[in-house]
Amino acid sequence: MLQRLNTIRYTYIKSHLYGLFLTTVTLLAILLSIHVLFQPTWLSAFSIFIFLILYIFLAFFFSVYVGFKSSGDMKTRMDYLSVLIAQLSRGNYSSRVYDNSDDEIARIGLELNELGEKMQSQVKSLQRMADEKSEYAKSAHKAATIEERQRLARDLHDVVSQQLFALTMMSQASLRLFDGSPEQAKEQVKEIAETALKAQTEMRALLLHLRPVHLSGEPLQIGIHNLVEELKQKCQIQFVIEIEEISDLSETTEDHLFRIVQESLSNILRHAGATEVTLDIMERNQELFLHVADNGKGFDLETDQQKKTSYGLKTMKERSEEIGGTFAIKSKQGEGTHIDIRIPL
């Protein structure tokens, strides 16, 4: 209720009521001054009282009515500006507002239109730069391959190698416990099974990165379906896939989208512990929407800064921005993670 009283319409009404108050005080002061100084017979205290009551009563309704009606056009124009700002913030840079007036609000609308045009041209420049960058990347393919191998080697050493070493140590300890303490040995074997499962999941996620960086001439739709079919054979995750066929996508955009999907699935395998993954790619209002969701463990975006700034999420965000898109992530403990990417076409 208090928020509604701060709107433009109620501000207009309050300004009219404030004018009514000042006019009433001024009239009262004039009439009382005449009554005291000249004491005319026609101007009594009673007539002053009746006049002011009637004036306040009529002027109050006129003030409310005029304030409400006169603010209607202003409110409509401000709503148009608000909608335009919301569209620009969502990445819809082709939105425009048209106002033929010659006042401050019309000038603000014109400046917002110019801002939208500049942002739209910047998106095109980003996409053009991404295409150029793709050409440079192809020429530096060998160096990128070496760097990827080094990263995978570090991951194998830091995670899988340590888990295998732990398996070896726990297995040796279990053998020594079988005769003297079978119950403790049983618990040790359970830990071995859990560690082996973690190592297996980590290895599958690392193997996912060994797929080709590019789609190798395949359309995006077929490339993602092949990737998902390969994962279905290796892990117990149910996939819900809906990919529309989108024409006129550049090779660079398709490659970036493919790598984003690849990185998101790798993160799900390594960290989420999910049993179901949803993947949607669709086109709406000259924009491409990519949505990836899982029902895994999730994490708290407010407190878990390590995951929020992880290598995988950072890479997906950078790839989205390179082709002029926006990257958003939602996650909550025990409720999974949702990734949404919007790219202007």
Side-chain angles (χ1 to χ4, degrees), residues 132-176:
E132 294 172 357
K133 184 177 178 181
S134 177
E135 294 299 323
Y136 291 129
K138 288 178 182 178
S139 63
H141 179 65
K142 289 184 179 180
T145 302
I146 293 172
E147 184 180 351
E148 186 71 6
R149 285 177 177 174
Q150 290 174 344
R151 188 178 74 82
L152 289 170
R154 286 196 301 269
D155 288 345
L156 283 169
H157 177 269
D158 294 341
V159 182
V160 180
S161 175
Q162 293 181 11
Q163 289 173 340
L164 292 176
F165 177 75
L167 282 172
T168 303
M169 299 298 294
M170 286 190 292
S171 300
Q172 293 173 352
S174 298
L175 288 174
R176 291 192 294 267

Side-chain angles (χ1 to χ4, degrees), residues 279-342:
L279 197 157
D280 297 321
I281 298 179
M282 61 190 72
E283 179 185 356
R284 295 289 184 273
N285 299 325
Q286 294 297 310
E287 287 186 311
L288 182 145
F289 292 85
L290 168 62
H291 175 73
V292 183
D294 66 75
N295 65 344
K297 296 181 291 186
F299 61 96
D300 192 341
L301 285 169
E302 297 293 332
T303 58
D304 202 336
Q305 291 296 321
Q306 183 178 0
K307 287 188 177 179
K308 188 177 179 180
T309 58
S310 70
Y311 177 82
L313 293 178
K314 184 180 178 183
T315 300
M316 285 188 280
K317 186 175 186 295
E318 289 175 351
R319 288 188 181 276
S320 303
E321 292 173 349
E322 281 181 9
I323 51 179
T326 56
F327 176 88
I329 181 169
K330 300 178 192 174
S331 187
K332 194 174 181 181
Q333 287 280 4
E335 297 183 11
T337 303
H338 297 257
I339 293 174
D340 290 290
I341 294 170
R342 302 159 61 104

Side-chain angles (χ1 to χ4, degrees), residues 3 9 12 31 68 100 104 122 137 163 166 174 183 207 223 227 251 261 281 291 304 314 320 343:
Q3 188 175 6
R9 177 155 284 170
Y12 263 67
L31 292 174
F68 190 84
N100 297 323
E104 289 83 355
Q122 287 178 354
Q163 289 173 340
S174 298
E183 288 299 324
L207 289 173
L227 177 64
E251 181 181 346
V261 171
I281 298 179
H291 175 73
D304 202 336
K314 184 180 178 183
S320 303
I343 299 170

Side-chain angles (χ1 to χ4, degrees), residues 160-333:
V160 180
S161 175
Q162 293 181 11
Q163 289 173 340
L164 292 176
F165 177 75
L167 282 172
T168 303
M169 299 298 294
M170 286 190 292
S171 300
Q172 293 173 352
S174 298
L175 288 174
R176 291 192 294 267
L177 289 172
F178 264 115
D179 294 331
S181 180
E183 288 299 324
Q184 191 175 354
K186 184 178 178 181
E187 293 298 323
Q188 194 82 25
V189 170
K190 287 182 180 178
E191 291 183 18
I192 291 173
E194 292 176 1
T195 306
L197 182 60
K198 290 179 182 178
Q200 186 183 34
T201 302
E202 190 73 29
M203 182 61 72
R204 284 172 180 163
L206 290 173
L207 289 173
L208 187 60
H209 284 279
L210 294 177
R211 290 182 57 86
V213 175
H214 303 287
L215 286 168
S216 304
E218 293 179 340
L220 177 65
Q221 189 177 17
I222 295 176
I224 292 178
H225 275 297
N226 291 341
L227 177 64
V228 170
E229 287 300 322
E230 182 180 329
L231 288 176
K232 283 182 179 178
Q233 299 172 8
K234 296 178 180 178
C235 58
Q236 301 297 318
I237 296 179
Q238 181 180 354
F239 290 89
V240 181
I241 309 295
E242 185 177 347
I243 304 176
E244 294 182 359
E245 187 174 349
I246 302 173
S247 58
D248 300 329
L249 279 180
S250 68
E251 181 181 346
T252 303
T253 301
E254 287 194 338
D255 285 338
H256 276 62
L257 288 172
F258 180 74
R259 291 295 285 173
I260 289 170
V261 171
Q262 194 175 15
E263 188 69 52
S264 64
L265 294 178
S266 173
N267 277 359
I268 291 171
L269 281 175
R270 298 173 74 176
H271 308 298
T275 59
E276 183 176 315
V277 174
T278 302
L279 197 157
D280 297 321
I281 298 179
M282 61 190 72
E283 179 185 356
R284 295 289 184 273
N285 299 325
Q286 294 297 310
E287 287 186 311
L288 182 145
F289 292 85
L290 168 62
H291 175 73
V292 183
D294 66 75
N295 65 344
K297 296 181 291 186
F299 61 96
D300 192 341
L301 285 169
E302 297 293 332
T303 58
D304 202 336
Q305 291 296 321
Q306 183 178 0
K307 287 188 177 179
K308 188 177 179 180
T309 58
S310 70
Y311 177 82
L313 293 178
K314 184 180 178 183
T315 300
M316 285 188 280
K317 186 175 186 295
E318 289 175 351
R319 288 188 181 276
S320 303
E321 292 173 349
E322 281 181 9
I323 51 179
T326 56
F327 176 88
I329 181 169
K330 300 178 192 174
S331 187
K332 194 174 181 181
Q333 287 280 4

Side-chain angles (χ1 to χ4, degrees), residues 123-137:
V123 168
K124 291 179 181 179
S125 298
L126 283 171
Q127 292 174 339
R128 185 172 62 252
M129 290 172 63
D131 290 336
E132 294 172 357
K133 184 177 178 181
S134 177
E135 294 299 323
Y136 291 129

